[in-house]
Amino acid sequence: MIKEMVHRLREMLLFLFLAIFSKATGVKAYSRGGVIQESAAYCLSWRLAVETNNVRAWRTVPSQCLRYVEAYMLGGQYERDLNLIVDQILSYVNGIVPSSDGMDAWILDVDDTCISNVFYYRGKRYGCDPYDPAGFRAWALKGGCPAIPAILGLFEYLVQSGFKVFLVTGRDQETLGQVTIDNLHNQGFIGYERIILSIDFVVDMLKLMPSQLCIFSDAIRMAYDIPWICNLLVLSISNRTAEFIGQSAVAYKSEIRRQLEKEGYRIWGNVGDQWSDLQGECLGNRTFKLPNPMYFVP
Amino acid sequence: MIKEMVHRLREMLLFLFLAIFSKATGVKAYSRGGVIQESAAYCLSWRLAVETNNVRAWRTVPSQCLRYVEAYMLGGQYERDLNLIVDQILSYVNGIVPSSDGMDAWILDVDDTCISNVFYYRGKRYGCDPYDPAGFRAWALKGGCPAIPAILGLFEYLVQSGFKVFLVTGRDQETLGQVTIDNLHNQGFIGYERIILSIDFVVDMLKLMPSQLCIFSDAIRMAYDIPWICNLLVLSISNRTAEFIGQSAVAYKSEIRRQLEKEGYRIWGNVGDQWSDLQGECLGNRTFKLPNPMYFVP
């Protein structure tokens, strides 16, 4: 009898402890009118599922998570998450001895890896509104994306340590190339080896005359001084077919990394906020997924 | 002047809003003696970094996160995370039309995927204590692991929908085979196509006489009725060399999946709580990472 009471008391104390402690750990569930309200707990599950790539090809943030994502991005946890990942990257970097041949490379994505679009997404209800290509282009053209401090620190450390840093972005070279380069420069991203942008307008034109692919790409090759542009063009075209749709960033960035490896670079690390940065081929020795609960790039 | 005051007031209100809201979203930071205390916020960052595979080869849970992990596992958020992932899996499953040839397959891991070890890990300070092979073996021999309800539901749905479910585990066939099969059966995992266990003792013996690999593996092949055991043995041996150490589960499970594909199975999905379940070759059309903040299997 007493044994049973002690057991019951212990269970109650455990429950009480968990109920109190769960409030300090993001496991929040509060009762209202007898119904368990679990919005924040749901959004925490959703964020985890997005970051682990269990939820894919999502178009918008669930509208019930608007305030949650806002608080996450601006309230300090996003920075904490980034800092912990950068600590992990640095301890990995410190275990590498760069060779003297200058071929030790790192790859960093640009948007929401080096520089932040959070102030743009604030106007898009932190991703609760659907993707707006024209709106994003207008924002990017302002060149006002702030550096993400933890990644800027990582970037500087990599450059100082003798690594060649390649910035690889899906931003269009023709329309956003110069403003992106200027934006990165004024935010302190100085000393990278190369920035590799996308070539949307070429692809759009080639779609109109695919038979002229080879001649055209030779001309473009000279104009843009990208040694592997022909491969990219072929790839970009094939990606536009139904079979490859939804995987274009994976294939595009894989091709860029393959070409870097062909040039002899050893890719030690690959850092991005999208799983499409970190999947496919020639991924590098390690990949690091930075958090981004605001949008998904296929 | 008034404009500046309004601006300042708006900033203060935003700050106040975030400070209040952050308490409801797991972005908890409280001041004590002027120093920001961030234990729960740190553990949330750590958990995210572990689940996204940014932190790898970790041996123990940080001791400051003992209560956090306990609250996570027992306080409801772990179940919530599982339920959201299973919802995603089900909506993916419902988009597949199984063929009539009976070759549509799913792969599920066993430990902390189908059945739970949380009550064992409670005695190991939820992973704050280092891995104890003898202790875990003694626990597994009891055959008392409870089903994880969300995954049991998924399992039943897959079997009913006409998929062949393969359970793939690193548990040793010789010492834990029967008890594991019984444990799964009494927890409701009935109707799977095959369970594939590891063959530790063979590997241990072969390490003593690697030159006899082929003869020995033929004998074992008959004794165990596993058609591809020879490949596994060769693989297991090579994994024990320095170069492959730390990747053994990846290579082992890849080989098993490769053999299933050779048999003609189409692997639609692959579900596990460890990244080593979900990396390597022949991964299946989609992989799903279940949460596990208690231990890491290389």
Side-chain angles (χ1 to χ4, degrees):
Chain A
M1 184 71 180
I2 289 176
K3 213 171 156 187
E4 200 183 303
M5 277 177 64
V6 170
H7 182 74
R8 193 107 18 115
L9 195 68
R10 274 179 60 187
E11 276 195 335
M12 279 174 60
L13 282 171
L14 180 67
F15 182 81
L16 198 69
F17 163 79
L18 289 172
I20 293 166
F21 196 76
S22 70
K23 290 191 180 162
T25 55
V27 192
K28 172 101 178 160
Y30 50 94
S31 184
R32 185 191 292 164
V35 180
I36 304 293
Q37 300 289 319
E38 299 188 328
S39 185
Y42 167 78
C43 296
L44 181 57
S45 288
W46 178 82
R47 178 163 72 87
L48 182 73
V50 159
E51 293 299 343
T52 52
N53 207 22
N54 286 323
V55 175
R56 296 185 190 179
W58 50 280
R59 285 186 63 248
T60 53
V61 172
S63 56
Q64 70 195 94
C65 298
L66 166 59
R67 295 299 163 210
Y68 175 89
V69 172
E70 177 175 44
Y72 171 73
M73 293 302 296
L74 303 182
Q77 192 64 25
Y78 172 64
E79 275 80 8
R80 271 184 214 98
D81 288 355
L82 285 174
N83 288 337
L84 192 143
I85 297 165
V86 169
D87 285 348
Q88 291 291 319
I89 300 177
L90 292 176
S91 73
Y92 167 64
V93 171
N94 288 331
I96 307 168
V97 181
S99 134
S100 57
D101 65 3
M103 300 305 276
D104 294 294
W106 276 74
I107 294 179
L108 307 185
D109 171 54
V110 172
D111 281 297
D112 294 298
T113 297
C114 292
I115 52 178
S116 174
N117 294 305
V118 69
F119 295 121
Y120 169 74
Y121 276 93
R122 186 163 60 183
K124 297 291 174 183
R125 298 166 65 233
Y126 297 95
C128 290
D129 291 345
Y131 180 56
D132 169 9
F136 183 77
R137 188 175 293 257
W139 154 262
L141 277 170
K142 288 183 197 167
C145 300
I148 296 178
I151 305 299
L152 179 56
L154 169 67
F155 171 87
E156 289 170 339
Y157 189 80
L158 288 172
V159 171
Q160 281 160 23
S161 304
F163 291 95
K164 298 287 162 64
V165 178
F166 292 85
L167 305 183
V168 179
T169 172
R171 284 191 180 197
D172 173 41
Q173 169 157 331
E174 182 73 358
T175 52
L176 295 174
Q178 195 56 51
V179 73
T180 302
I181 290 165
D182 294 345
N183 192 160
L184 286 161
H185 190 272
N186 72 36
Q187 290 298 307
F189 289 89
I190 296 165
Y192 54 80
E193 182 67 10
R194 206 183 298 167
I195 181 168
I196 301 165
L197 297 108
S198 182
I199 39 169
D200 290 356
F201 96 100
V202 179
V203 173
D204 288 342
M205 288 182 69
L206 279 167
K207 274 195 289 191
L208 302 175
M209 41 173 173
S211 60
Q212 309 242 327
L213 182 63
C214 288
I215 305 155
F216 193 87
S217 66
D218 277 342
I220 294 293
R221 187 204 308 260
M222 293 194 300
Y224 281 85
D225 190 27
I226 304 179
W228 57 79
I229 197 161
C230 187
N231 290 340
L232 284 181
L233 291 179
V234 175
L235 180 91
S236 302
I237 296 298
S238 68
N239 281 343
R240 262 60 181 185
T241 65
E243 197 181 349
F244 285 92
I245 222 120
Q247 291 203 36
S248 54
V250 171
Y252 165 72
K253 292 199 169 184
S254 290
E255 184 56 31
I256 287 171
R257 293 189 299 264
R258 183 176 296 117
Q259 295 296 336
L260 290 175
E261 289 192 354
K262 259 196 199 166
E263 290 182 39
Y265 288 103
R266 293 176 292 276
I267 303 173
W268 285 99
N270 179 6
V271 183
D273 66 300
Q274 297 291 324
W275 279 103
S276 54
D277 298 329
L278 311 174
Q279 292 182 321
E281 310 294 323
C282 309
L283 288 173
N285 192 48
R286 273 196 68 171
T287 61
F288 295 91
K289 169 69 175 78
L290 305 185
N292 185 349
M294 300 185 299
Y295 61 88
F296 177 91
V297 177
Chain B
M1 184 70 182
I2 289 176
K3 212 172 159 187
E4 199 182 304
M5 275 177 66
V6 169
H7 183 72
R8 199 117 357 125
L9 195 68
R10 275 181 59 187
E11 276 196 336
M12 277 174 62
L13 282 172
L14 179 66
F15 181 81
L16 199 69
F17 164 79
L18 288 172
I20 293 165
F21 196 76
S22 68
K23 289 190 180 163
T25 55
V27 192
K28 172 100 179 159
Y30 51 93
S31 183
R32 185 192 291 165
V35 180
I36 304 291
Q37 299 291 317
E38 300 189 328
S39 184
Y42 167 78
C43 297
L44 180 59
S45 288
W46 178 82
R47 178 163 73 87
L48 181 74
V50 160
E51 294 300 344
T52 51
N53 207 22
N54 287 322
V55 174
R56 296 185 189 181
W58 50 280
R59 285 185 64 248
T60 53
V61 172
S63 55
Q64 72 196 92
C65 299
L66 166 59
R67 295 299 163 210
Y68 175 89
V69 172
E70 178 175 43
Y72 172 72
M73 292 303 296
L74 302 181
Q77 192 64 24
Y78 172 64
E79 275 80 9
R80 268 184 217 100
D81 289 354
L82 285 174
N83 289 338
L84 191 143
I85 296 165
V86 169
D87 284 349
Q88 291 292 317
I89 299 177
L90 291 176
S91 74
Y92 167 63
V93 170
N94 289 330
I96 307 168
V97 181
S99 136
S100 57
D101 65 3
M103 300 305 276
D104 294 295
W106 276 74
I107 294 179
L108 306 185
D109 171 53
V110 173
D111 282 296
D112 294 297
T113 296
C114 291
I115 52 178
S116 173
N117 295 305
V118 69
F119 296 120
Y120 169 74
Y121 276 94
R122 185 163 61 182
K124 297 291 175 183
R125 298 166 64 231
Y126 296 95
C128 290
D129 292 344
Y131 179 55
D132 168 9
F136 182 77
R137 188 175 293 256
W139 154 263
L141 277 170
K142 289 184 195 164
C145 301
I148 295 177
I151 305 299
L152 179 56
L154 169 67
F155 170 86
E156 289 169 339
Y157 189 80
L158 288 172
V159 171
Q160 282 161 22
S161 305
F163 291 97
K164 298 287 162 66
V165 178
F166 293 85
L167 305 183
V168 180
T169 172
R171 284 192 181 197
D172 174 40
Q173 170 158 329
E174 181 73 357
T175 53
L176 295 175
Q178 196 54 53
V179 74
T180 302
I181 289 165
D182 294 346
N183 192 159
L184 286 161
H185 190 271
N186 71 36
Q187 289 300 306
F189 288 90
I190 296 165
Y192 53 80
E193 182 68 11
R194 205 183 297 167
I195 180 168
I196 301 165
L197 297 107
S198 181
I199 38 168
D200 290 356
F201 97 101
V202 179
V203 173
D204 288 342
M205 287 181 69
L206 278 167
K207 274 195 289 189
L208 302 175
M209 41 176 173
S211 59
Q212 308 242 328
L213 182 63
C214 287
I215 305 156
F216 195 86
S217 66
D218 276 343
I220 295 292
R221 186 204 307 259
M222 294 193 299
Y224 281 85
D225 191 29
I226 304 178
W228 58 79
I229 197 163
C230 187
N231 290 340
L232 284 181
L233 291 179
V234 175
L235 179 90
S236 302
I237 296 297
S238 68
N239 281 343
R240 263 60 182 185
T241 66
E243 198 181 347
F244 284 92
I245 223 118
Q247 290 204 37
S248 54
V250 171
Y252 165 71
K253 293 200 167 183
S254 291
E255 184 56 30
I256 287 171
R257 293 189 299 264
R258 183 176 295 115
Q259 296 296 335
L260 290 175
E261 289 193 353
K262 260 194 198 166
E263 290 182 41
Y265 288 103
R266 295 176 290 277
I267 304 173
W268 286 98
N270 179 7
V271 184
D273 65 300
Q274 297 292 323
W275 279 104
S276 53
D277 298 330
L278 311 174
Q279 292 182 321
E281 310 294 325
C282 308
L283 289 173
N285 192 47
R286 272 196 69 170
T287 62
F288 295 92
K289 169 70 175 78
L290 305 184
N292 185 349
M294 300 186 299
Y295 61 89
F296 177 90
V297 177

